[in-house]
Amino acid sequence: MQNSLIPTDQSSLFQKSDETDSQDLGSGVKIYADLNPAQLDAVTTVDGPILVIAGAGSGKTRTLIYRLAYLVEQKISPEKILLLTFTRKAAQEMLSRAGYLMEETCCRINGGTFHSVAGLLLRRHGYHLGYSANFTILDRSDSEGIVNLLKSSLGLGEVGKKFPSKRVVMNILSGAVNKSMAISELMESRYSHLIDHLDDILLIRDHYKQFKFEHGLMDYDDLLVNLKILLADYPEVRKQIAGLYSHIMVDEYQDTNLIQAEIVALLADGHDNVMVVGDDAQSIYSFRGANFKNIMDFPKLFPQTKIVKLEENYRSSQAILNVTNEIISQAEERYTKNLFSRIDKGPKPVLYAARDEDQQARYITGRVLEMKRKGTALNEIAVLFRSSFHSYKLELELNNHHLPFEKRGGLKLTESAHMKDVFSFMRIACNSQDNLSWNRVLLQLDKVGPKTAQKILARIKSSDDLLNGLKGYPAAKSWKDNFIRLVELVEKLMNMTRPLEMYKLIIDYYQPVFERIYHDDYPARRHDLDQLKDILKGYDDLQTFLDDTSLDPPETTINDGQDQERLVLTTIHSAKGLEWDTVFVINLVQGKFPASYARWTDELEEERRLLYVAATRAGRNLYFVYPREILNKERQLVPGTISQFLDHVSRDRLNRPGSFTSFKPQPRSAKQKVAISLFPPGTVVKHGFFGKGVVIDVAGPRSVNVEFSGHGLKTLHLDYAKLKIL
């Protein structure tokens, strides 16, 4: 691992202690073993365009910082240097750390995000576009508020008229800008269900643009668009602005969109002294507008480009890099590089073929427990997945073993509004007195507001026979038919036991409600409902499913109320830039990773890069885990095909412990039923998650109601709950 960039003795980087350990970089600056040859080449190349392909863990930030210091040391005025980053924090950190090398001189370097630099330049030169220097910058909520006003003034937001929400309209307007696409093209590809509103959205776009101009406003996208217009369409202004900077540096260039790449080229007009640093193999943000082609086409944009590859990795063992190199070597378009490490070889990455997702969860939990016993801190272990819902069964297993964890990236299963809607029907089927769930489903009825819902809830509470009470409720004519449909659904659900069958009935009822409430983005939300269907295939008992999904959120799983280290569960997108000693990458089967909707070449190639990013987060231990049996739409066990991205990894690169040799579904052992007579009221029991409790009464042929001190009353099925009698 590299030494800290900020030494205790600041002068140590500049004092020549031994001729063989140092290299004179001019004017007295001495850099010893702090830079490897490739980093040194990047740092000391002053003039002309440079593309630094910085492999994962290769010291990208260190290289940028040393080059800042070196440029200043070469008598280049710090005010003439521009550093462009994607976060304010990154710019501040690099300039601060460069300051340790060159005292306070580097503090005069111009550094910031693309948007902040654009704002500064537009305040000075925006008058060419008709803007005064005191224009206001809108945040996202401001922009959505203006769109909402325009919808009303244009008669597009009338009550009862379906129209995309302000959030979705802004997603469309902003998405078209960041992807450099026509709104019609974007809507055809991503919002085809809203294409009937195209003309109205174009109308809003035009009025939104005019409104901003008349009131001296710019949103975040305008900062980039207007700076590009200023530089491209006003040659004298471009000459003036480009003259401010003799050297430009750009971090994370693979994440730039087309407008940002054009701005960089225009700012370098006249000198081409621009260094961009990035990794084509880590370009994974196309959904935000990032354009993979930018880093690939940089040498075409600047024909005299010098390419420097940083291939020495300071994070991972060579055993891990051998595998990650093979994963990315199959990419159709890439810069060829071969990461290597001086870190000890380390164990081979593990490829584990679990029988199914349940065993996958048990395997990972077992390995984590073993590592914890041997002294590995939980926060040095991470489980990475393609999509947030992939960790659902693992979360349950970790909770059962009281392993604290935090989840990053995406919503949990029960947090999104549409999922809460569906869960409410299920909860009513299990507990007809669940007023919270009743309130939610009642408010889904068109024309029913909070006051009416409260009146219906009062009827539910006072009725001896809930269904008869509801059937006799004097519903208004405008919502009576829908109310009858709801009551009929609840009656059917109360006479059913199979979760998957209940789900089908609920969706039949909920689909029109779903499309009405979430009319502007229901296709994207529908994917979550389909995933819920897949999860329900693994349950025969609704109460057990609801008990599982109502477990305390992972963030609150802290023993004795004290802070403690936690295992990290994260989407790969949220893990970029981070590292752990041990990394598990899960659900590596076709349809999950790569995702089933990744059909085109560019989508599949980004999925490959996503796996590369995941694997290169590991320092010493790397596990690839996948289920060899998955449930299909008919709820049948079928072979799961290992991710295509692991097909070309040499067998001798991987350790394959305990893998099943056949894809044939394995028979389940019959569950041994516990006699319900062993749990009379008053029996003290212990549950793996809820802890100690007392049986209150029998809830059904195989279920009991148990009062837990920390979790309240729970109905538990004896075939699943694993209650221990104390």
Side-chain angles (χ1 to χ4, degrees), residues 217-234:
L217 310 171
M218 290 192 204
D219 61 23
Y220 292 145
D221 297 330
D222 293 327
L223 295 175
L224 299 181
V225 171
N226 286 335
L227 177 58
K228 178 196 164 186
I229 292 172
L230 195 63
L231 294 170
D233 297 351
Y234 297 82

Side-chain angles (χ1 to χ4, degrees), residues 83 157 171 256 346 349 408 421 430 448 472 482 503 579 595 605 626:
L83 171 66
N171 285 345
T256 55
R408 305 173 184 173
D421 289 346
C430 282
V448 171
N482 288 333
Y503 170 87
E579 59 184 79
E605 287 301 293
Y626 71 100

Side-chain angles (χ1 to χ4, degrees), residues 55-309:
S58 63
K60 166 183 69 72
T61 301
R62 169 178 288 256
T63 302
L64 282 166
I65 293 166
Y66 271 86
R67 188 170 191 269
L68 288 171
Y70 182 70
L71 291 177
V72 173
E73 179 63 22
Q74 296 305 298
K75 306 304 180 184
I76 294 170
S77 172
E79 290 85 358
K80 301 278 283 183
I81 302 171
L82 175 63
L83 171 66
L84 292 170
T85 64
F86 276 86
T87 67
R88 181 187 303 176
K89 181 181 178 182
Q92 290 175 337
E93 180 181 356
M94 280 190 259
L95 294 179
S96 173
R97 290 166 70 175
Y100 278 92
L101 302 181
M102 294 300 296
E103 298 177 348
E104 298 301 319
T105 311
C106 288
C107 295
R108 304 206 308 272
I109 293 174
N110 294 286
T113 65
F114 276 89
H115 292 88
S116 66
V117 170
L120 179 65
L121 292 174
L122 286 168
R123 291 201 186 282
R124 295 176 183 171
H125 306 279
Y127 63 89
H128 291 281
L129 303 178
Y131 283 91
S132 65
N134 64 343
F135 64 82
T136 298
I137 299 176
L138 303 169
D139 63 19
R140 181 56 182 254
S141 63
D142 295 328
S143 298
E144 290 181 359
I146 294 172
V147 166
N148 218 31
L149 288 174
L150 293 174
K151 281 172 57 180
S152 298
S153 65
L154 295 170
L156 302 175
E158 297 174 359
V159 176
K161 183 174 182 179
K162 292 183 178 180
F163 194 80
S165 68
K166 59 184 180 182
R167 177 180 60 84
V168 170
V169 171
M170 275 308 304
N171 285 345
I172 293 171
L173 299 183
S174 181
V177 172
N178 284 285
K179 289 180 174 291
S180 295
M181 296 172 67
I183 288 178
S184 58
E185 183 183 357
L186 178 67
M187 290 187 67
E188 286 174 7
S189 63
R190 295 192 60 186
Y191 300 90
S192 59
H193 61 294
L194 299 178
I195 200 67
D196 289 344
H197 298 291
L198 174 60
D199 290 341
D200 289 336
I201 289 176
L202 291 174
L203 182 63
I204 289 178
R205 189 243 352 238
D206 294 340
H207 281 262
Y208 177 56
K209 182 178 179 180
Q210 185 65 25
F211 183 94
K212 288 182 294 181
F213 183 76
E214 290 177 353
H215 294 84
L217 310 171
M218 290 192 204
D219 61 23
Y220 292 145
D221 297 330
D222 293 327
L223 295 175
L224 299 181
V225 171
N226 286 335
L227 177 58
K228 178 196 164 186
I229 292 172
L230 195 63
L231 294 170
D233 297 351
Y234 297 82
E236 290 302 315
V237 179
R238 178 173 70 250
K239 182 178 180 181
Q240 184 180 358
I241 293 177
L244 296 173
Y245 312 112
S246 64
H247 290 77
I248 299 170
M249 297 167 65
V250 185
D251 188 21
E252 302 285 10
Y253 190 72
Q254 80 280 349
D255 293 337
T256 55
N257 62 28
L258 186 58
I259 297 176
Q260 290 165 326
E262 291 172 337
I263 287 173
V264 170
L266 290 166
L267 287 174
D269 184 44
H271 58 73
D272 288 356
N273 294 330
V274 54
M275 171 192 274
V276 299
V277 183
D279 185 4
D280 55 294
Q282 298 187 69
S283 178
I284 60 173
Y285 293 116
S286 64
F287 65 93
R288 295 181 184 170
N291 193 326
F292 172 75
K293 290 292 185 181
N294 285 351
I295 195 166
M296 302 306 299
D297 292 345
F298 185 82
K300 298 177 184 176
L301 193 61
F302 295 92
Q304 303 302 314
T305 295
K306 174 179 180 178
I307 299 177
V308 179
K309 298 177 183 177

Side-chain angles (χ1 to χ4, degrees), residues 23-67:
Q23 183 169 350
D24 192 333
L25 300 186
S27 302
V29 173
K30 307 293 186 294
I31 295 182
Y32 310 108
D34 298 293
L35 298 175
N36 63 43
Q39 291 172 332
L40 191 62
D41 190 14
V43 165
T44 57
T45 301
V46 174
D47 298 322
I50 315 166
L51 170 60
V52 179
I53 300 298
S58 63
K60 166 183 69 72
T61 301
R62 169 178 288 256
T63 302
L64 282 166
I65 293 166
Y66 271 86
R67 188 170 191 269

